[in-house]
Amino acid sequence: MSHNIALPKSSRQEELETISRNQLLLKFDPSLFELRSESQRDKGIDFIGEIKQNGVYTNFRFTIQLKSTESSKKLKDGSITYPIEVSNLNYLVNFGIPSYYILYDYPANQFYIESVGEVYRCFSEKYNSKKTPKTYKVKFRQTLGQEKINMIFKEAFDFGSVQRNVGMHLRLNNNEGAKLKGIVINNIQEVYSIDQNIAFIENYGYELLNQHEFSRIIEIEDLSHPRDHVSATFNMVCGIAYYHQHNLLKAINFLKLAYSDLNSLHPEDQATVTYTLIQAKYLLGIIRKEQFSEEIERIVENENVGTFLQFENLYNKCFEGNEFRAEQIKRYYDGVMKILDNNPHFSDMRIVAYAHVLKAEAKLLLYELVGNYLTTIGRKVDVYRDLLIAEWLKLDGQYNDQLKELVKFAKENRNFLAVCNLLSAKIEWEFTKTYYFHSFSNWNKETLSINHDIRIEDRDFLLLLLEDLDPILETYDKLQHRRNQFHCLVLRFEILHFLGMNYEADACINLMRKLIETYELNSLRKDLDQLVNGHTRSNLFMEKLVNKLTTLDRIAKNEGIYEYLYEDISPEMNAPLGRKPKWSLLELLPLIYPE
């Protein structure tokens, strides 16, 4: 071909562009990416990329502006600078999808990449409120390897998913010209409609509360801002959820809002709002115990209270003064069964009611154990005591069997809070029996005191109980039930204190103090102070027992029958006396479960 014919000339820059394009396409797996050249009226975008997933096109896109150089000089940190037009930067930002500057260093056969978003952030920081130049030098620090290509795929997928969900919400909520109040995009790129979140709590809040899904309610509430006026139901559900998670200040705020619109609620819900609000105020130390008790009594006596508060009212009436006699327990039991007959499948209330029955029976059994055992203490042989222990073991077995059955029922109904409460009650029962029988067996009639040397078997058993408490404490913490967590720590402290493990007991006190301070459980400060001052249940029990036995000892001496007080009682001696243990309940009340 003659060299005199006029033809278009090529340039080195064009050659570099061709080389860089060809090399770049090889970097992207065609099974995951489709890179399309932007050729018609190109205003600063070289490629529009689309990602594929499972062999299908997603329409989730990104853009690439490709640059190339063969005269680059690396800086000390290994980066390369390259000028770009500010108008191009603004153009890419306006596109509103993930965009990238990619620079090809020809001599090194190396690609570098920077996100347009990051470039724009640096540019804005440098020229904030200043006149901007026509060009801006971009510092390319990151090489384009497989890790960065994976990043491009993820960012395009995440952004495309969010964009799709936002679009869906905008279209679905644009019926008849209605305005969408707002949408929320959370930290994992999920998109929510504020209106839908509010409606979800209003429609399904009761069910979530019954399922103890308090953290889920709080999560949804957190995604319903900003909001205008909402219903009393919404505020009630959120307030109760925050109360059970021991965020008491937020609970009070929501419950006050519900209380301000109280008449819009069902009478049972009105009582629930008022009851929970009073509880939260008391726990924060806003009201005194006397006022708290008066308010609770007034609320639970209302004929419109719900099932839970019916139980509360029945419990308060039957066990007024914290006394637990057989006729009281029977009256409570009959009332409970009547309520449950009307709500046979209300499993959570059945668990609460049966737990109350067992608690009352446990208190009665322990009280009568002391009364029956008192006159046998100090004797080496007493046939009456042997009969007493045999009957006690039967009652103890009934109690443990019923408690085990109730734990099983709670597990089947996925009431994990109740499971923890019942297992904690089981440990408390075993610990109480241990220090009772320890006290009975270690009375020293010479010093009129109880020796504190603990049997190895009892010590080992209590150490196992401490191990059983650990998963319960962890679950309370996960469920964020701080009051239950505190009382479980109290039980742990009392066992440690009884064992004389002072270092561990002090550490437990510190945990309780931290719990009170962190969650403002001000009503529990008095309980903590009493523990610190040695007012544990085992100490108080032993003090009372010592007083009773000392009084009995003194009366025996004054009446001249001291020699008979500690005399062994054989079967022959007991026969004419006809002494038998006295129990108000020979059989524990039956706990019936639905089929």
Side-chain angles (χ1 to χ4, degrees):
M1 183 180 293
S2 173
H3 294 288
N4 296 325
I5 301 174
L7 294 171
K9 293 183 179 180
S10 70
S11 69
R12 182 57 180 163
Q13 187 59 39
E14 289 176 343
E15 292 171 0
L16 286 175
E17 287 178 4
T18 302
I19 293 171
S20 62
R21 282 171 176 265
N22 293 339
Q23 292 288 85
L24 182 65
L25 289 172
L26 295 175
K27 290 278 187 181
F28 288 83
D29 184 350
S31 67
L32 298 175
F33 296 92
E34 183 72 30
L35 295 187
R36 302 183 183 97
S37 296
E38 180 81 349
S39 56
Q40 188 174 6
R41 294 197 182 110
D42 173 16
K43 300 299 180 183
I45 296 176
D46 289 309
F47 291 101
I48 293 180
E50 179 180 353
I51 62 171
K52 306 173 187 177
Q53 190 179 40
N54 300 323
V56 298
Y57 289 93
T58 62
N59 205 22
F60 294 166
R61 304 190 176 212
F62 60 95
T63 69
I64 294 174
Q65 175 65 16
L66 180 61
K67 302 293 183 181
S68 57
T69 181
E70 61 179 348
S71 59
S72 62
K73 290 184 180 180
K74 288 189 178 180
L75 302 178
K76 289 183 179 180
D77 61 1
S79 64
I80 298 176
T81 59
Y82 191 90
I84 56 100
E85 293 182 0
V86 173
S87 61
N88 176 253
L89 176 60
N90 291 327
Y91 183 71
L92 291 173
V93 169
N94 282 353
F95 203 7
I97 63 175
S99 300
Y100 307 93
Y101 282 115
I102 294 180
L103 175 65
Y104 180 59
D105 179 11
Y106 175 75
N109 192 26
Q110 180 69 59
F111 284 96
Y112 293 83
I113 182 171
E114 291 295 332
S115 164
V116 167
E118 179 62 20
V119 172
Y120 187 78
R121 185 188 66 79
C122 295
F123 171 78
S124 298
E125 287 179 357
K126 184 174 181 179
Y127 294 101
N128 185 27
S129 301
K130 296 179 183 178
K131 186 177 179 181
T132 58
K134 290 186 176 181
T135 61
Y136 173 67
K137 284 188 176 181
V138 177
K139 196 172 185 180
F140 288 87
R141 301 179 179 86
Q142 306 174 88
T143 58
L144 180 65
Q146 189 58 49
E147 182 180 346
K148 293 300 176 185
I149 291 174
N150 294 342
M151 176 202 72
I152 292 173
F153 185 94
K154 184 178 185 306
E155 288 183 353
F157 183 84
D158 290 346
F159 186 88
S161 299
V162 170
Q163 195 175 46
R164 177 183 183 277
N165 291 335
V166 169
M168 291 291 288
H169 277 284
L170 291 174
R171 287 188 289 275
L172 291 174
N173 288 277
N174 196 27
N175 297 329
E176 299 179 359
K179 289 185 178 180
L180 180 65
K181 289 183 179 178
I183 57 174
V184 177
I185 303 174
N186 68 10
N187 59 344
I188 57 172
Q189 307 296 314
E190 293 175 327
V191 180
Y192 298 92
S193 161
I194 291 174
D195 291 340
Q196 288 176 347
N197 285 344
I198 293 171
F200 186 85
I201 288 180
E202 290 175 339
N203 294 329
Y204 301 104
Y206 292 94
E207 183 178 346
L208 293 173
L209 288 175
N210 289 333
Q211 294 173 353
H212 307 282
E213 294 278 1
F214 308 122
S215 58
R216 188 178 177 199
I217 292 171
I218 290 171
E219 179 183 344
I220 296 171
E221 184 277 321
D222 196 44
L223 295 171
S224 62
H225 295 276
R227 58 176 177 259
D228 300 322
H229 176 76
V230 291
S231 68
T233 299
F234 178 90
N235 288 320
M236 178 193 72
V237 170
C238 294
I240 293 173
Y242 276 111
Y243 170 81
H244 283 289
Q245 297 297 82
H246 258 92
N247 190 332
L248 297 178
L249 289 174
K250 270 210 163 185
I252 287 175
N253 289 337
F254 276 103
L255 293 169
K256 279 184 175 179
L257 290 172
Y259 192 84
S260 68
D261 193 17
L262 202 62
N263 291 333
S264 68
L265 294 171
H266 187 277
E268 290 186 7
D269 293 338
Q270 293 179 19
T272 300
V273 167
T274 310
Y275 178 86
T276 311
L277 183 57
I278 293 298
Q279 289 272 10
K281 287 181 175 180
Y282 173 64
L283 287 174
L284 276 175
I286 296 174
I287 60 175
R288 295 182 176 275
K289 187 173 183 179
E290 295 76 17
Q291 182 183 353
F292 167 75
S293 300
E294 290 174 5
E295 291 288 340
I296 293 299
E297 185 177 353
R298 178 181 61 81
I299 294 166
V300 298
E301 285 182 350
N302 189 317
E303 63 180 9
N304 292 318
V305 297
T307 309
F308 172 78
L309 294 183
Q310 287 179 37
F311 284 136
E312 193 78 11
N313 184 29
L314 184 62
Y315 189 85
N316 292 342
K317 284 184 175 179
C318 292
F319 304 117
E320 188 177 0
N322 207 31
E323 293 183 2
F324 297 88
R325 296 190 299 272
E327 58 270 22
Q328 293 171 300
I329 296 174
K330 187 68 168 62
R331 188 163 67 250
Y332 177 72
Y333 175 84
D334 290 341
V336 159
M337 298 310 293
K338 185 177 180 181
I339 295 172
L340 290 176
D341 285 344
N342 295 327
N343 304 273
H345 299 294
F346 205 163
S347 59
D348 285 354
M349 289 300 99
R350 186 178 298 274
I351 294 166
V352 170
Y354 285 0
H356 280 164
V357 170
L358 286 173
K359 177 183 177 181
E361 288 177 329
K363 287 183 176 293
L364 177 63
L365 289 175
L366 290 168
Y367 174 79
E368 293 185 341
L369 173 66
V370 176
N372 284 319
Y373 215 110
L374 195 62
T375 57
T376 74
I377 295 174
R379 294 195 177 111
K380 292 183 178 179
V381 176
D382 190 334
V383 68
Y384 162 79
R385 183 173 61 207
D386 296 339
L387 178 61
L388 167 63
I389 291 175
E391 291 182 358
W392 166 258
L393 290 174
K394 290 180 181 179
L395 291 168
D396 177 48
Q398 288 182 42
Y399 175 84
N400 282 318
D401 288 344
Q402 288 196 351
L403 188 58
K404 184 178 179 180
E405 190 70 17
L406 187 54
V407 170
K408 179 185 175 184
F409 182 72
K411 286 181 178 177
E412 289 172 350
N413 286 277
R414 301 184 62 79
N415 190 335
F416 301 115
L417 175 61
V419 171
C420 287
N421 292 340
L422 293 169
L423 292 177
S424 182
K426 164 69 173 172
I427 293 172
E428 183 179 337
W429 170 256
E430 296 297 341
F431 172 53
T432 304
K433 288 190 304 178
T434 301
Y435 68 72
Y436 268 42
F437 281 99
H438 165 84
S439 303
F440 297 156
S441 304
N442 285 275
W443 170 246
N444 188 324
K445 62 184 179 182
E446 306 299 331
T447 61
L448 299 180
S449 63
I450 295 173
N451 298 330
H452 198 68
D453 294 336
I454 301 172
R455 295 190 314 153
I456 294 176
E457 295 88 342
D458 287 343
R459 179 175 291 276
D460 291 343
F461 178 65
L462 293 178
L463 290 174
L464 289 175
L465 292 184
L466 287 173
E467 291 181 11
D468 292 340
L469 272 177
D470 289 338
I472 299 174
L473 280 166
E474 289 177 10
T475 304
Y476 280 144
D477 185 43
K478 290 178 181 177
L479 294 174
Q480 300 182 43
H481 273 266
R482 305 305 175 189
R483 191 176 178 86
N484 303 60
Q485 189 178 355
F486 177 85
H487 289 302
C488 196
L489 285 169
V490 169
L491 179 55
R492 180 179 182 82
F493 170 82
E494 291 191 319
I495 297 174
L496 291 168
H497 182 270
F498 181 76
L499 289 170
M501 300 172 66
N502 296 328
Y503 177 81
E504 292 84 354
D506 288 343
C508 195
I509 286 289
N510 291 334
L511 286 175
M512 285 187 275
R513 185 172 286 116
K514 183 178 180 181
L515 200 64
I516 289 174
E517 292 171 355
T518 302
Y519 299 101
E520 298 183 324
L521 305 177
N522 298 321
S523 65
L524 300 176
R525 292 185 187 278
K526 186 177 179 180
D527 295 345
L528 180 60
D529 291 340
Q530 289 179 337
L531 287 177
V532 172
N533 293 326
H535 295 164
T536 63
R537 281 170 288 191
S538 59
N539 279 355
L540 293 173
F541 171 76
M542 286 188 278
E543 286 175 10
K544 289 180 180 179
L545 186 62
V546 166
N547 289 336
K548 288 181 179 180
L549 292 173
T550 300
T551 300
L552 195 61
D553 189 277
R554 185 179 66 253
I555 292 172
K557 286 178 179 177
N558 292 340
E559 297 296 326
I561 57 172
Y562 181 77
E563 61 182 295
Y564 302 111
L565 182 61
Y566 299 108
E567 185 179 8
D568 290 345
I569 303 294
S570 64
E572 293 76 21
M573 295 173 65
N574 189 61
L577 298 175
R579 296 166 66 217
K580 291 183 179 180
K582 295 179 180 179
W583 304 102
S584 300
L585 294 173
L586 297 177
E587 296 282 340
L588 298 191
L589 298 170
L591 304 183
I592 303 167
Y593 297 93
E595 294 294 334

